[in-house]
Amino acid sequence: MKLMVLDGNSLVNRAFFGIKLLTTKDGRYTNAIYGFQNILLNLLTAHQPDAVAIAWDERAPTFRHQAYDGYKATRHGMPEELAQQMPVLKELLTHLGFVQVSKAGWEADDILGTLAAACEAKGGTTLLATGDRDSLQLVDDATTVLLATNKETIPMDPAAIREKYGVAPAQLIDVKSLMGDSSDNIPGVPGIGEKTALALVQKFGSLQAIYDHIDDPAIKPGQRTKLGANRDKAELSYMLGTIRKDSPIETDPAAYTRQPGDAAAAAHLLASLEMHKLIDRWQLESGSAPAAAEAAPLETVEPSPLPLVVDGRLYLAQNGNDNWYAVQDGQVFLPDTDRLAALLDGDAELWVFDAKPLYHLALDHGGIGKAIRFDGKLAAYLLNPSASGYAVKNLAAEYDVPAAFACEAAPDAGVLTALLDKLAAALDESEQRKLHDEMELPLARVLADMERIGFGVDAEGIRAFGDSLRSELDGILQSIYAEVGYEFNVNSPKQLGEALFDKLGLPPRKKTSRGYSTDAETLESLRPYSPVIDQILKYRTYAKLLSTYVDGLLTAQAADGRVHSTFIQTEARTGRISSTEPNLQNIPIRTELGSRLRGFFVAGEGKELVDADYSQIELRILAHITGDEAMQQAFLHGADIHRSTAAKIYHIPESEVTPQLRSASKAINFGIMYGKGAYSLSKDLDVSVKEADNFLKTYLATFPKVDGYMQDCIAHAKEKGYVETLFGRRRALPELASSNFQVRASGERMARNTPIQGTAADIIKLAMVHVWQRLREEKLEARLLLQVHDELIVEAPEAEVEEVKRVLRGEMEQVVQYSVPLTTDVGTGKTWLDAH
């Protein structure tokens, strides 16, 4: 039999600290539960054990604590965020059928040792999964430790231990008795470190043999003195460090065979934890709530054709493969495309799940989808913007919505009505219904139209640009080869590391399990050491431009000569829209070469592009939201905000503000919004941390209302558990309750910047809705093509350009009324580059 024993506490700690803090929408911590399951599933897949035992420590003192008061006395207590997850994890493992074992007075290590010895005695083999190297002493021909590290799990057999440490597995106890263990507060022999301990054990074989040969010349006088004075500590450490093999637990390996468990309860618990993919990985049938034993079987409903005329409220969702189903009063309908298109602009009130494809259909048929009143997917996103995905089945399980009936042709139809009703009620309760009705739902129509229209591209220009990039890349490669002295694969981190650090002798910065790090940060730090670094960075930039943008855009070009990006409305936690296939929001503009790509996005024949960009929108929101009069006055009088800020910070006239002072002021203005501290700011400004700290303190003293606002943001978010934009969009911040300083500091940064960045995202979304509606109301041919951060691009017939400029400026600047005006920069041109 092959028995696998998991050191539960070791692995759950590794999962907890290895994954950022995760919570459900109602604030329950989940990262350790999620990470532990991934570790367990990966172990099961890789090793296919016959039985699995999961060993846990108990809170009660062990015999080691009784023998030595200081044992593990320096250990910090379990973080509260992890402690809350432990009973939930153990409940889940029970539902999944795993046998868990613990014993008061004994440690999980002793359970591992006992089970390994028992399995070996019965002729079996044991795999011990742990992140704790103490268990390596248990390794023998029948027992292998699967040592979990930050990157991988390493099998440790006797040969591997001999190769790494130069001793047999059992001799590691002798090594620890000499060197001690600070993590467990095992004293060892003061002054004897790992190197000396290994050398002594390699020479004499054991602790006892070392003391039997204490006068041997191989033991140096200083070592002899330390050993002689601390024999009691060494022997105590030997006892403390020895894993016992006689803990009073069930030792028959067959007793740890996985049990049937309760699949429905496991699925239900996973759904409530919002771990829908793990339901599939565990091959559980359903994430829905377990039905009561006495409940009657669900009535089976057969779908019908949709009537020509439908009144009342109808619920509509996709059934895979672009097929849709509708539900009304417990009846299921499967409409064809023409009937569905007519329905979208008919008299029924449609509550749908995922409106954007329906708006596509309506627009393709000359309508606008006016019958759509509610979108469950958008509601679910507003209620939980950090979820990994949104699907009817998963959400029904998550919100405890039972099926009202069964329908084989539309498996989710039985939950759709109740789910959408429940999401709407939750949206009302969170006071985000207005956000859904006036911003997100009409925006879905706008995005559908933008996807349909696409953006024209100059394919020949892109090809020529690609050819020039390839030529440049060849030259750069030759320069790199000449500098290094031989040809190699620059795209291989391993080969690049060997070239830079072995061949050229540059100072390595970081080393991973796969070799030297050659990431961007490392290369930037090496610029002063060799001219080849500039060439390598240039190579990476050009190669990225070529593969991602040149080749990517050509591949994405459709038969109509345009690229039709997909805009994603339910991804970013801050509320921003994202773009994919291709990502048009990520076209590089910071370098001259990258910005040239915008020159290949073109207006159609007889048309121009009109580009409107908000000017410093986030700083204007900061001025409004903080109520700082000095900042507001600068915007009200059209001043250069960075110059004005610098003048106030340094108490000098604006005319005396140097470019350097303005640059520092700009960095601080934006740094404050992004929650940057002195260290990050020092890197931006290329000054010392002390200087950056002085800049920040001076700024906050000059603008006290900004500092007060930042503190209020954090206090409000800690009290509520979430932060809000000015439009009421919520973002949960469990990080603020973390016991870990770094996690908590990250939460405070998000609490400060989310209201500003999120409000800016909301404003541009609302502006898009207003611009789209206004263009149609005025019966203009111009169409909105693209949104990139704070920028909108419209394609307009040449005769409409001036009118479109007026529409863009008016709708964007008047979308909200704040204490400072919103202003836009508007340009025109035949290409995106010319218009911006």
Side-chain angles (χ1 to χ4, degrees), residues 469-538:
L469 281 178
R470 289 185 185 88
S471 177
E472 291 262 14
L473 276 169
D474 288 342
I476 295 168
L477 270 181
Q478 294 310 312
S479 297
I480 294 170
Y481 296 155
E483 189 72 29
V484 173
Y486 64 90
E487 293 188 8
F488 64 99
N489 182 1
V490 179
N491 296 314
S492 163
K494 183 175 185 296
Q495 292 185 37
L496 180 58
E498 291 169 352
L500 296 179
F501 306 115
D502 294 337
K503 177 65 168 63
L504 295 182
L506 303 187
R509 294 293 191 254
K510 294 180 283 186
K511 199 165 186 180
T512 68
S513 59
R514 296 180 180 85
Y516 297 109
S517 172
T518 57
D519 61 17
E521 184 182 3
T522 298
L523 292 182
E524 284 290 344
S525 72
L526 294 173
R527 277 186 190 268
Y529 294 92
S530 172
V532 78
I533 300 298
D534 283 334
Q535 294 296 309
I536 292 166
L537 288 168
K538 193 175 180 182

Side-chain angles (χ1 to χ4, degrees), residues 531-793:
V532 78
I533 300 298
D534 283 334
Q535 294 296 309
I536 292 166
L537 288 168
K538 193 175 180 182
Y539 173 85
R540 285 186 173 179
T541 300
Y542 282 30
K544 174 79 171 176
L545 281 172
L546 184 62
S547 62
T548 303
Y549 299 109
V550 173
D551 295 341
L553 286 172
L554 290 173
T555 301
Q557 187 182 27
D560 62 1
R562 302 170 79 89
V563 292
H564 298 265
S565 182
T566 298
F567 298 100
I568 303 171
Q569 200 174 349
T570 56
E571 188 171 74
R573 296 183 182 188
T574 58
R576 281 199 178 275
I577 304 161
S578 57
S579 162
T580 186
E581 296 181 352
N583 183 352
L584 297 184
Q585 296 187 330
N586 212 24
I587 300 293
I589 57 170
R590 293 188 178 182
T591 63
E592 185 276 332
L593 193 67
S595 66
R596 279 173 55 190
L597 276 170
R598 291 193 170 199
F600 304 119
F601 287 83
V602 298
E605 188 69 31
K607 296 180 180 180
E608 283 197 20
L609 299 177
V610 186
D611 186 309
D613 197 351
Y614 277 119
S615 174
Q616 298 173 328
I617 187 171
E618 291 183 350
L619 283 174
R620 292 172 187 272
I621 293 168
L622 179 67
H624 169 76
I625 209 170
T626 61
D628 189 275
E629 293 87 353
M631 199 176 287
Q632 289 179 358
Q633 285 301 312
F635 282 121
L636 287 167
H637 291 94
D640 177 334
I641 186 64
H642 303 309
R643 184 174 297 279
S644 173
T645 301
K648 287 180 174 60
I649 290 175
Y650 301 108
H651 306 291
I652 58 176
E654 289 191 24
S655 59
E656 294 181 16
V657 173
T658 65
Q660 284 181 317
L661 291 179
R662 184 186 182 279
S663 178
S665 169
K666 181 177 180 180
I668 297 170
N669 271 328
F670 286 109
I672 288 288
M673 284 192 298
Y674 301 141
K676 288 187 176 181
Y679 176 74
S680 294
L681 191 61
S682 71
K683 296 181 77 173
D684 292 345
L685 296 175
D686 196 22
V687 298
S688 70
V689 175
K690 185 177 181 181
E691 286 178 285
D693 188 51
N694 286 335
F695 279 141
L696 279 174
K697 286 176 179 173
T698 305
Y699 180 97
L700 294 175
T702 307
F703 300 104
K705 287 193 175 180
V706 173
D707 192 30
Y709 159 75
M710 296 298 178
Q711 299 309 318
D712 288 346
C713 268
I714 295 168
H716 175 272
K718 282 182 176 177
E719 178 189 350
K720 300 287 188 181
Y722 59 84
V723 68
E724 291 177 294
T725 71
L726 292 181
F727 289 82
R729 183 186 303 276
R730 294 183 180 183
R731 179 181 182 180
L733 289 178
E735 294 86 354
L736 290 172
S738 174
S739 58
N740 180 286
F741 171 78
Q742 289 182 319
V743 173
R744 199 165 59 251
S746 170
E748 290 179 357
R749 284 194 296 275
M750 288 185 279
R752 290 195 296 263
N753 66 37
T754 296
I756 298 166
Q757 290 182 301
T759 297
D762 285 343
I763 287 173
I764 194 73
K765 282 182 167 182
L766 200 55
M768 292 170 72
V769 171
H770 289 188
V771 167
W772 188 90
Q773 290 172 341
R774 180 82 175 278
L775 293 175
R776 296 185 79 90
E777 285 168 5
E778 299 201 7
K779 295 184 170 47
L780 297 172
E781 290 183 33
R783 290 292 178 261
L784 184 60
L785 299 187
L786 185 63
Q787 174 263 332
V788 179
H789 307 308
D790 306 325
E791 176 185 0
L792 296 184
I793 302 161

Side-chain angles (χ1 to χ4, degrees), residues 102-113:
S102 62
K103 195 71 179 177
W106 298 77
E107 294 184 57
D109 282 350
D110 301 311
I111 294 172
L112 266 65

Side-chain angles (χ1 to χ4, degrees), residues 322-530:
D322 297 325
N323 294 318
W324 292 79
Y325 65 89
V327 181
Q328 188 179 58
D329 300 328
Q331 280 188 280
V332 179
F333 306 98
L334 299 179
D336 58 35
T337 301
D338 290 338
R339 193 71 55 90
L340 182 58
L343 183 70
L344 295 173
D345 282 280
D347 295 326
E349 178 184 330
L350 300 184
W351 281 39
V352 310
F353 194 89
D354 197 5
K356 185 150 68 81
L358 289 169
Y359 281 128
H360 262 283
L361 182 62
L363 291 162
D364 284 343
H365 283 73
I368 59 168
K370 68 179 179 66
I372 300 173
R373 308 291 175 81
F374 183 80
D375 183 345
K377 185 174 183 180
L378 292 176
Y381 167 65
L382 286 168
L383 292 166
N384 187 13
S386 62
S388 58
Y390 307 93
V392 171
K393 175 186 173 183
N394 295 341
L395 289 167
E398 200 176 300
Y399 283 86
D400 273 326
V401 176
F405 55 81
C407 179
E408 188 176 342
D412 296 334
V415 299
L416 184 66
T417 298
L419 173 63
L420 266 59
D421 288 348
K422 197 160 191 174
L423 289 170
L427 209 55
D428 290 337
E429 187 179 348
S430 71
E431 299 180 336
Q432 295 184 91
R433 185 61 179 269
K434 184 177 180 182
L435 200 60
H436 168 278
D437 292 351
E438 297 182 8
M439 184 184 298
E440 295 293 347
L441 186 59
L443 180 67
R445 177 194 287 130
V446 175
L447 297 178
D449 204 27
M450 287 164 53
E451 290 176 357
R452 291 172 60 252
I453 295 165
F455 204 145
V457 292
D458 173 10
E460 288 308 311
I462 294 173
R463 287 191 186 92
F465 181 57
D467 291 340
S468 69
L469 281 178
R470 289 185 185 88
S471 177
E472 291 262 14
L473 276 169
D474 288 342
I476 295 168
L477 270 181
Q478 294 310 312
S479 297
I480 294 170
Y481 296 155
E483 189 72 29
V484 173
Y486 64 90
E487 293 188 8
F488 64 99
N489 182 1
V490 179
N491 296 314
S492 163
K494 183 175 185 296
Q495 292 185 37
L496 180 58
E498 291 169 352
L500 296 179
F501 306 115
D502 294 337
K503 177 65 168 63
L504 295 182
L506 303 187
R509 294 293 191 254
K510 294 180 283 186
K511 199 165 186 180
T512 68
S513 59
R514 296 180 180 85
Y516 297 109
S517 172
T518 57
D519 61 17
E521 184 182 3
T522 298
L523 292 182
E524 284 290 344
S525 72
L526 294 173
R527 277 186 190 268
Y529 294 92
S530 172

